[in-house]
Amino acid sequence: MKNTSGRENTEVTVKQKILAFLSASPEEYVSGGRISQVLGITRSAVWKHVEHLREEGYIIDSVPRKGYKIVSAPDFLYPREILKGLDTEVFGRELYHAQKVDSTNNWAKKMAEEGVPEGAIFLAEEQAGGRGRMDRPWESPPGGIWMSIVLRPDIQPYLAPGLTLVAAVAVVGAIKAVTGLGPLIKWPNDIFIEDRKVCGILTEMKAEMDRVNYIVIGMGINANIDISTLGNAAPTAGSLSMFLGSPVDRKRLVRGLLSQLEDYYFRFRKDGMAPILEAWRKDNFTLGRYIILKQGGEEFKGVAEDITPEGGLLLRDERGGTRVFYSGEVTVGGHYGIRNGKK
Ligand code: BT5
């Protein structure tokens, strides 16, 4: 795992001071001499820090005898920038960011073992080994939001699948609030816009018989992605930018997501699944439809009649029998996504 920026340091680094200096007069060049005088460092140290900022994606113009000027800041999900305007109490208050990791879920699990608190967030610009359910690959090029959260709820392990639903309603809520788009949930963990999957959720847990040690929920949102780069997933995947016709502000979306996640999670802890199911029912396109559910090489057909308090799907088959599923692949009315683009 390569962690290029790691946990945000609360003390202001020299690099940040230089950044603040340059940002204070965005129209003007600031000479290296002046920066070195004010910060009490050598000119070559100034140059070295400017080089580091460039490596982080800042475009900084330098002109001999005039100095440095910031042309543009990178669109990275830097903790310090996400924290600006974040309205959560706990979620995201401990925020880790990396340019590239294998999987933010792996990273979060490792850190959960090391004791990070509930609400710690792990973000990467890119994943080299992003995972879906059953170790299926999750394509994670730059431009998406690849994020995992650590939770430590005091609940019975059998209630954990409900947290996937908590994440699903939070993702839908955040996408709606930030972009105005109308995504819908396909049970259990996919978010669609029209016939295209824009987000997948992967919930993993470490538990004993009657106690949860920790839960990691990974969310992959195709924010600003060129779908053609998604390999095998390209024909069925969608990106928010593709539906908006312009890039989405990823930092706003992360802030919105943390806020919705915290809100729904607190409600889940206080009142159980009822408020979550209410939101989920409004935003799903699975219930009331004829579906095919694949599980462990078997196929079950019928009407998706209801969702159980634990987040299971109640299927009524042609002969009127019912059965509850806690996992599986669902095809709705013979379609991968939302039939005819409507709910
Ligand atoms: C999922 O699995 O949908 C869960 C995906 C979770 C990804 C997040 S990203 C942050 C965190 N770190 C991780 O390593 N994972 C989580 P599943 O329902 O099994 O769907 C996987 C299938 O979706 C694949 O087999 C492809 O067909 C398709 N797929 C792969 N990449 C995709 C993408 N970027 N967009 C849409 N579909 C994709």
Side-chain angles (χ1 to χ4, degrees), residues 87-283:
D87 65 3
T88 57
E89 253 175 65
V90 184
F91 284 18
R93 293 290 154 194
E94 189 150 333
L95 199 50
Y96 297 80
H97 172 264
Q99 286 299 327
K100 194 169 181 175
V101 293
D102 59 346
S103 151
T104 55
N105 263 37
N106 294 353
W107 188 14
K109 283 195 285 184
K110 186 169 164 272
M111 296 295 280
E113 294 286 346
E114 288 176 21
V116 290
E118 172 154 282
I121 295 290
F122 297 84
L123 280 161
E125 299 297 332
E126 243 181 293
Q127 295 184 118
R131 291 184 289 112
R133 292 176 298 159
M134 288 169 284
D135 277 334
R136 281 185 287 234
W138 180 260
E139 303 293 334
S140 321
I145 294 173
W146 322 125
M147 173 176 130
S148 301
I149 182 165
V150 172
L151 298 175
R152 300 182 182 278
D154 181 15
I155 57 168
Q156 294 282 317
Y158 78 94
L159 293 171
L163 288 168
T164 301
L165 275 61
V166 168
V169 291
V171 169
V172 167
I175 293 178
K176 272 193 204 166
V178 173
T179 67
L181 293 168
L184 292 173
I185 307 162
K186 185 174 84 168
W187 184 88
N189 69 326
D190 294 341
I191 314 288
F192 275 77
I193 295 180
E194 295 173 13
D195 233 15
R196 292 180 174 272
K197 180 163 166 175
V198 295
C199 167
I201 299 166
L202 177 67
T203 305
E204 297 183 285
M205 166 167 74
K206 184 170 176 201
E208 291 155 30
M209 283 301 283
D210 55 0
R211 195 178 85 102
V212 171
N213 290 331
Y214 60 81
I215 289 173
V216 166
I217 308 182
M219 288 149 274
I221 305 178
N222 298 330
N224 303 324
I225 300 240
D226 173 359
I227 293 306
S228 67
T229 63
L230 292 183
N232 290 340
T236 52
S239 171
L240 301 182
S241 55
M242 167 181 160
F243 292 104
L244 287 170
S246 60
V248 59
D249 181 338
R250 292 189 310 148
K251 289 174 205 127
R252 265 189 74 206
L253 190 54
V254 170
R255 277 186 220 114
L257 180 54
L258 292 176
S259 168
Q260 299 260 345
L261 262 178
E262 182 173 277
D263 195 36
Y264 280 116
Y265 180 68
F266 283 1
R267 280 199 255 171
F268 166 80
R269 296 302 313 277
K270 191 165 160 274
D271 301 321
M273 281 299 282
I276 310 305
L277 293 176
E278 194 189 320
W280 194 92
R281 283 198 171 90
K282 279 192 201 129
D283 285 326

